[in-house]
Amino acid sequence: DGYLYGRGALDMKGTGIIHLMTFIAAKRAGLPLERDLVFIANADEELGSTGASVFARDHADLLRDVEYVLTEGAGNPSRNGALQYWGVGVGEKRTFWQRLTVNGTPGHGSRPTPGNPVPRLIAALNRLATYETPLHLTPAVERYMKAQAVNFVGQYREWLENPRAALRDTAARAWLVSDIERNALLRNTISLTVLNASNKTNVIPPVATAEVDIRLLPDQNADSVLAELMRVVADTAVHFSPVATPASPLDNPIDTDLVAAITRAARERDTKVPVVPLTSTGGTDRPRYRALGIVTYGFSPFVTDVEDSRRGVHGNDERIATEQIPKGLKFMYDVVRYAQQRPAVP
């Protein structure tokens, strides 16, 4: 029915294949290169970016003259058939996964004991689940919201044009955080994801654990956040240990030749839709390359329905419209083509 389904269709095997196809197309077309074009394929981005970390550490010589890295970390969302904006990812939240562990006394499930670690862990998780982290507007997110204002009318436009003032108004604040993406961009987030205890119904386990997906805004201090979460849990029997430690904060300039190339290619497709700098709620390989001094951007060549993105990425029905595949290839090729020009005036 006009869609390609598969894990990674959007995040991000589809984009990776478009990168490779662009690389091949540039070679076949004999595209004159004022800048080298380098294709890098790293594994394990979802597992702490281990592939990019090893590559950047052991093969920095291959990256010595690279100006830019272009990968995931942004999107071009469509709502009811109307494109909202062209996105360029300049920053991202920081992954701060934690494992919570409670030790107890094992026993037979038919004889409840106060040493069962499961209820204690559940109580701790409930405190985290009901805790509302403070709202915090970063400069990058403020720019993003102001750029989005053109898609709204009335008070909604006013709130987005001045989000700092809107966050001081009860009604405006409630509307801003009612959208799951805006909410995640305005605060540190906590998602309870993995639970482990007994593997048998009639056995009280000796230990119960949970893994929690915590994402920090770029300017947040990990130690301070952990201290606050331990205060919220308020139980010394609950032990925190890191599953993934935060990468260095990520920020990139927007006045570069590559952003100009993206802007030029985007405007050729729709002059009325703004090009918006974004902070990604998820993590990418970009901080590993930024640490080498390389300017890194997130960019998707596809226009994707908002609901497809929300239900599909990391879900069972991940899909991309088949018409977006050739369009995405042409979009990416144009970005690469315009980036060869100095400067790539939009």
Side-chain angles (χ1 to χ4, degrees):
D1 297 323
Y3 287 91
L4 172 68
Y5 286 81
R7 185 59 56 88
L10 293 173
D11 183 21
M12 69 159 286
K13 293 180 177 68
T15 300
I17 291 297
I18 290 296
H19 285 176
L20 181 58
M21 292 171 70
T22 301
F23 194 80
I24 295 170
K27 177 68 175 178
R28 289 178 176 172
L31 179 68
L33 298 180
E34 294 296 323
R35 291 179 159 102
D36 288 343
L37 191 60
V38 180
F39 181 79
I40 303 170
N42 288 142
D44 291 336
E45 181 243 34
E46 293 287 352
L47 194 65
S49 289
T50 51
S53 297
V54 171
F55 187 71
R57 183 193 70 205
D58 296 349
H59 301 286
D61 58 309
L62 299 177
L63 300 164
R64 185 175 297 116
D65 297 322
V66 172
E67 291 179 271
Y68 306 106
V69 162
L70 196 62
T71 182
E72 66 167 342
N76 312 305
S78 172
R79 193 185 300 273
N80 298 322
L83 180 62
Q84 303 295 291
Y85 56 79
W86 303 107
V88 179
V90 297
E92 67 185 40
K93 296 181 76 174
R94 303 164 69 200
T95 302
F96 189 43
W97 296 346
Q98 292 287 315
R99 179 178 292 109
L100 278 61
T101 303
V102 179
N103 295 303
T105 304
H108 199 291
S110 67
R111 298 187 292 269
T113 68
N116 186 342
V118 177
R120 200 154 189 172
L121 178 63
I122 289 173
L125 295 176
N126 183 60
R127 294 187 191 104
L128 288 179
T130 55
Y131 170 59
E132 287 195 2
T133 54
L135 294 173
H136 176 62
L137 182 65
T138 64
V141 173
E142 186 172 15
R143 290 197 305 266
Y144 159 68
M145 290 190 175
K146 287 181 176 180
Q148 263 203 308
V150 297
N151 297 314
F152 295 83
V153 297
Q155 63 180 0
Y156 301 138
R157 173 176 285 191
E158 293 176 8
W159 290 342
L160 287 169
E161 287 175 339
N162 191 352
R164 199 165 297 277
L167 289 173
R168 295 193 291 267
D169 178 86
T170 302
R173 184 170 59 250
W175 179 76
L176 286 174
V177 301
S178 66
D179 177 86
I180 60 172
E181 183 173 9
R182 287 197 302 261
N183 178 67
L185 290 172
L186 285 168
R187 59 183 4 133
N188 299 328
T189 55
I190 304 168
S191 291
L192 314 183
T193 52
V194 179
L195 301 172
N196 282 294
S198 180
N199 64 349
K200 294 183 182 297
T201 306
N202 64 341
V203 174
I204 295 173
V207 62
T209 66
E211 292 181 14
V212 183
D213 186 338
I214 302 167
R215 306 284 174 141
L216 307 181
L217 291 168
D219 61 356
Q220 299 292 285
N221 179 275
D223 291 338
S224 298
V225 171
L226 180 59
E228 175 64 10
L229 296 181
M230 293 174 70
R231 184 197 64 79
V232 170
V233 167
D235 187 346
T236 56
V238 180
H239 303 285
F240 286 76
S241 59
V243 177
T245 54
S248 56
L250 181 68
D251 192 25
N252 292 277
I254 58 175
D255 56 343
T256 66
D257 285 352
L258 185 52
V259 171
I262 293 171
T263 300
R264 178 179 174 182
R267 286 178 178 168
E268 287 181 351
R269 284 152 176 81
D270 195 321
T271 57
K272 297 179 182 179
V273 178
V275 177
V276 178
L278 302 177
T279 296
S280 173
T281 59
T284 71
D285 286 337
R286 287 182 290 160
R288 280 74 187 173
Y289 295 105
R290 191 72 179 106
L292 297 177
I294 302 171
V295 176
T296 62
Y297 296 114
F299 170 71
S300 171
F302 307 124
V303 174
T304 310
D305 183 84
V306 171
E307 292 307 315
D308 274 345
S309 295
R310 289 180 178 176
R311 76 184 181 195
V313 173
H314 290 204
N316 291 332
D317 295 318
E318 191 169 351
R319 69 181 190 175
I320 183 172
T322 52
E323 68 175 14
Q324 284 299 317
I325 297 172
K327 288 181 178 179
L329 174 58
K330 184 63 167 62
F331 195 178
M332 187 66 72
Y333 184 84
D334 284 347
V335 169
V336 168
R337 181 161 60 97
Y338 296 147
Q340 300 306 318
Q341 303 172 16
R342 298 173 182 265
V345 179

